[in-house]
Amino acid sequence: MRYTGPKVRLSRRAGVPLTRKAVRYFEQRPYPPGEHGRKTNRRNTGDYGLRLMEKQKLRWYYDVSERQLRRYWDLAVRKPGASGAELVTLLESRLASLVLRAGLAPSIYAARQYISHGHIAVDGRKVDIPSYLVKPGQTVSVRERSRRMQPFVAAAEGVHADERTAPYLSVDLPELRFTLTHRPEREQIAVPVDEQLVVEFYSR
């Protein structure tokens, strides 16, 4: 199941801010949540615990369920190259991930909601599946009927945009659209996870 509780708690459990909003909260409380959070020493975590937490961080960052992540892992190991890097590339190629990365949404949770509610189109056709894998050359846009909604007016003004555009995206925020120019490479993807630990978790 996907986690649906307070999102900042996930960042505190993971030890790194997983969303933009979490950055400020994490600076104030950089320890795990709960009554004994201040007393928890992450450095005492065993090998299994470290690998498990890294896998959880990846899952939380992309807002996917355990079953979904396992499915992406099964796809990644069938492809040539490093399985860990391939896993991150697959997750980054999800429609929800790219809607967030392009600056059309303030968080992965909002991106997922916009897609599920039918506000997003791929190559002019509505796609309401957040896990849809976008292919290089495809253009993603906000549907015409949704463009006057306040969240998208804000997005067009660059409110949710990162300081630097991801190198695999060509973004036109005033027009509320972007194109995936090429397949994301691991070194181009800003995700605070050591995927080698995830590989070790699944390979144990």
Side-chain angles (χ1 to χ4, degrees):
M1 292 179 61
R2 287 171 46 245
Y3 177 82
T4 57
K7 313 306 181 188
V8 174
R9 287 179 66 89
L10 289 183
S11 292
R12 291 173 60 198
R13 283 173 63 187
V16 294
L18 299 170
T19 65
R20 296 187 186 108
K21 181 180 178 181
V23 173
R24 177 165 52 89
Y25 289 93
F26 193 80
E27 288 173 350
Q28 296 169 353
R29 298 180 177 182
Y31 46 83
E35 180 182 354
H36 304 291
R38 290 178 185 269
K39 301 175 184 177
T40 301
N41 188 346
R42 291 190 177 96
R43 287 179 294 182
N44 291 338
T45 306
D47 288 345
Y48 173 79
L50 287 173
R51 293 167 186 155
L52 173 63
M53 179 53 69
E54 213 64 18
K55 187 263 297 179
Q56 294 293 72
K57 279 163 59 176
L58 188 64
R59 192 165 72 79
W60 294 334
Y61 186 88
Y62 285 104
D63 190 34
V64 295
S65 67
E66 187 65 53
R67 181 178 293 180
Q68 284 176 309
L69 187 61
R70 182 74 206 205
R71 192 177 77 234
Y72 288 121
W73 169 252
D74 290 341
L75 286 172
V77 295
R78 296 193 198 113
K79 293 181 177 290
S83 298
E86 186 63 37
L87 175 61
V88 176
T89 292
L90 284 168
L91 290 166
E92 186 70 14
S93 299
R94 285 165 49 95
L95 181 57
S97 306
L98 295 177
V99 166
L100 168 65
R101 197 71 76 185
L104 297 184
S107 68
I108 192 70
Y109 316 106
R112 184 186 189 90
Q113 187 177 57
Y114 296 165
I115 297 164
S116 298
H117 290 184
H119 299 305
I120 303 298
V122 178
D123 289 342
R125 294 187 176 185
K126 182 181 81 170
V127 175
D128 57 7
I129 303 171
S131 61
Y132 176 89
L133 291 177
V134 181
K135 300 177 182 64
Q138 289 189 309
T139 296
V140 179
S141 60
V142 175
R143 298 179 70 200
E144 192 65 40
R145 68 178 183 86
S146 304
R147 292 178 176 231
R148 293 187 183 87
M149 295 173 61
Q150 192 279 329
F152 298 122
V153 171
E157 295 172 351
V159 172
H160 311 312
D162 290 331
E163 291 182 8
R164 296 177 61 186
T165 301
Y168 40 89
L169 296 178
S170 174
V171 181
D172 186 347
L173 279 179
E175 293 298 320
L176 293 172
R177 69 172 176 238
F178 66 88
T179 300
L180 181 64
T181 57
H182 63 272
R183 202 162 182 266
E185 300 291 337
R186 175 61 185 99
E187 59 270 17
Q188 299 174 326
I189 303 170
V191 53
V193 170
D194 181 353
E195 68 274 10
Q196 183 55 38
L197 291 177
V198 181
V199 171
E200 291 172 9
F201 176 86
Y202 280 123
S203 301
R204 72 191 193 284

